[in-house]
Each structure stands twice: as structure tokens, then as C-alpha cells.
Amino acid sequence: MALIAMWAHPRAISTAFLRMMIARGDVTVVHEPLVTLVDTGRVELPAADGGRVTVTSPAEVTAHLLDLGRDRPVFVKDTLEYRYGHLFDAPERIADVTHTFLVRHPARTISSHHAIKPTVACHEIGYEHQWNLFELVRTTAHRPPVVLSAEALLRDPARVVAAWCAAVDLPYRPEALTWDPGDRAEWARTRIWHLDVERTSGFRPVAKDFTVTVENDATLRAYYDHHLPFYQRLVQHAIPLEEPS
């Protein structure tokens, strides 16, 4: 069995990906345990017996999810507005994890982030943390990291998800590409961030305009200029897709 992690910067459509993983039905899905731990000091995780356990340290999160993954594949999604120092202090703890990264062009994600959190700071945009973690696991994990382009995922969900499944040794389940819209208990604590995905039934771009953007705001532009190089480095590693024959 396996523990598969998806590391995303905020506003990368990672919750839609998590929604697809829920729709599969054959994987235990965990939503943002490290974000929750940083924000609240504790996090509830699923237990093998179907119940819940509460943990209060990053090391406990990793150990519990690895143990859970011995019986059934576990998919965990977290976002990188924070730098999770414990991962860098003890990379051997996550060496057996299959690490995947979802990355989206920063022009839209920064504007979207600001629209929900106008006080967002530069480090919370997340691309620098994402790149640093990618570099860490590329040199310390037992399997090479897998990178997905969010734009490619929105353009061609079937091909991108099939390629991702092959890369992480999961069967491709095309029926999971559609799901029922609606709220989910998994993201109740942070629901304001997930309103778009609640209205979706699949991977589709959401039409939305933002008042404050990287084009008209100097602060957001500075954030963009800082994080763009990290995005560019990451997206170069995105899974290449063969052209249909």
C-alpha cells in the first residue's frame, strides 16, 4: 500500500483534485492536516478501524498516515502557505511517501488568494515553499516526485489524471472525473476557500474576475515577481503528455 501526498500552493485547484480522489472510493483521503495543525494545534485523522484519532505534532501526523497507508492507499493534500520545518529537519520520515506537486500560473492564483485574504503576505503565496520541498524530496525520497500542471489538468482532465495515476501506481478510474456538487465535511473548517469547488462536478475553469490583480496592484506585482521563477522551475518538471495518435 502507499501514502501519496499532493503538495500545492494555495488556489491551485488542489481541492478539486481531492474531490476527485474522494469520488474514487478506493483511497483514504485526508484534507490539509498540516495546515490544520499549524492553525489550531491539533488535527483529527481517520483511523484504520473507521474512527478518528487526534494528533498534536507534525511527527505524529506523518507516522499515523504512513501506518494507515499499510492497509489501504492514503491520499493527503496540503497547501504550502507555511514552510513545514519538520519536513526539512527530518526528511527521512517522509522518504517512503510518494510526493506529488500541483502547480498553477501565479498571475491568477495571487489575485484569487488576495480576494479571499486581503492581508496575504508574500511567503503565503507558497511557490517558494513548494519549490524548496520539491528540491528536498527529489534528493531524499525513495521515489522521484511527480509534478502536475493545473492548466493541463483543466484542459485535458482524462489524460492528465491517467498519467498521474500511472506515475503513482494507482488504477485510473475515469468515473471519478465527475462528482456531485456540494459542501463536504472534509473542508468544513476552511470552507470559504472551497466555495468554487462546491459548485463544480468536474475539472472545469471557473469564470471569475478580480478587482485587485498583479496587473494593477504594486504589492501583488511584487509577490508575482518573487514567486514566478519558482513556478517556472516547477512546471518544467510537469508530466509530459503524449499527443493523441
Side-chain angles (χ1 to χ4, degrees):
M1 296 293 104
L3 172 57
I4 303 166
M6 173 162 278
W7 304 104
H9 54 81
R11 316 311 291 159
I13 67 167
S14 60
T15 305
F17 200 97
L18 176 132
R19 185 65 186 85
M20 179 202 69
M21 296 300 290
I22 294 170
R24 289 178 60 98
D26 63 345
V27 176
T28 299
V29 176
V30 182
H31 175 76
E32 299 182 1
L34 295 181
V35 168
T36 301
L37 186 64
V38 172
D39 287 346
T40 71
R42 53 188 288 157
V43 59
E44 284 194 359
L45 299 173
D49 63 4
R52 308 286 289 179
V53 298
T54 299
V55 301
T56 57
S57 77
E60 287 180 291
V61 172
T62 302
H64 179 77
L65 293 180
L66 282 167
D67 188 59
L68 197 63
R70 293 191 175 98
D71 298 317
R72 171 184 166 125
V74 175
F75 172 82
V76 55
K77 186 265 285 192
D78 243 309
T79 53
L80 291 162
E81 56 263 56
Y82 303 121
R83 182 186 186 276
Y84 303 115
H86 69 284
L87 302 178
F88 295 85
D89 294 339
E92 68 278 2
R93 293 177 181 168
I94 57 169
D96 288 329
V97 177
T98 299
H99 297 276
T100 72
F101 295 79
L102 180 62
V103 62
R104 192 177 190 183
H105 194 278
R108 184 170 184 84
T109 66
I110 292 173
S111 300
S112 177
H113 199 147
H114 177 270
I116 297 173
K117 185 181 180 181
T119 59
V120 60
C122 186
H123 69 272
E124 294 173 311
I125 300 302
Y127 293 87
E128 183 173 10
H129 297 154
Q130 196 180 28
W131 171 253
N132 289 338
L133 183 56
F134 173 84
E135 284 278 83
L136 175 75
V137 301
R138 184 164 62 163
T139 57
T140 60
H142 297 151
R143 299 185 63 176
V146 179
V147 180
L148 288 186
S149 158
E151 285 80 8
L153 178 60
L154 290 171
R155 283 195 309 270
D156 198 341
R159 291 177 66 213
V160 172
V161 172
W164 182 86
C165 288
V168 302
D169 294 332
L170 283 178
Y172 172 52
R173 300 196 181 279
E175 66 275 14
L177 294 177
T178 58
W179 53 80
D180 293 329
D183 190 10
R184 294 285 307 189
E186 287 86 352
W187 57 70
R189 187 185 70 86
T190 53
R191 182 171 179 255
I192 191 173
W193 294 92
H194 312 300
L195 298 179
D196 288 341
V197 74
E198 288 182 13
R199 294 188 282 266
T200 67
S201 58
F203 292 108
R204 293 176 181 83
V206 175
K208 185 181 291 186
D209 294 323
F210 302 104
T211 302
V212 183
T213 72
V214 300
E215 301 297 333
N216 63 25
D217 183 87
T219 297
L220 296 193
R221 184 69 193 191
Y223 294 177
Y224 175 84
D225 291 342
H226 178 82
H227 287 279
L228 180 63
F230 300 110
Y231 162 78
Q232 291 171 328
R233 294 173 200 169
L234 275 164
V235 79
Q236 288 179 1
H237 297 276
I239 292 177
L241 297 179
E242 295 182 4
E243 292 300 322
S245 57

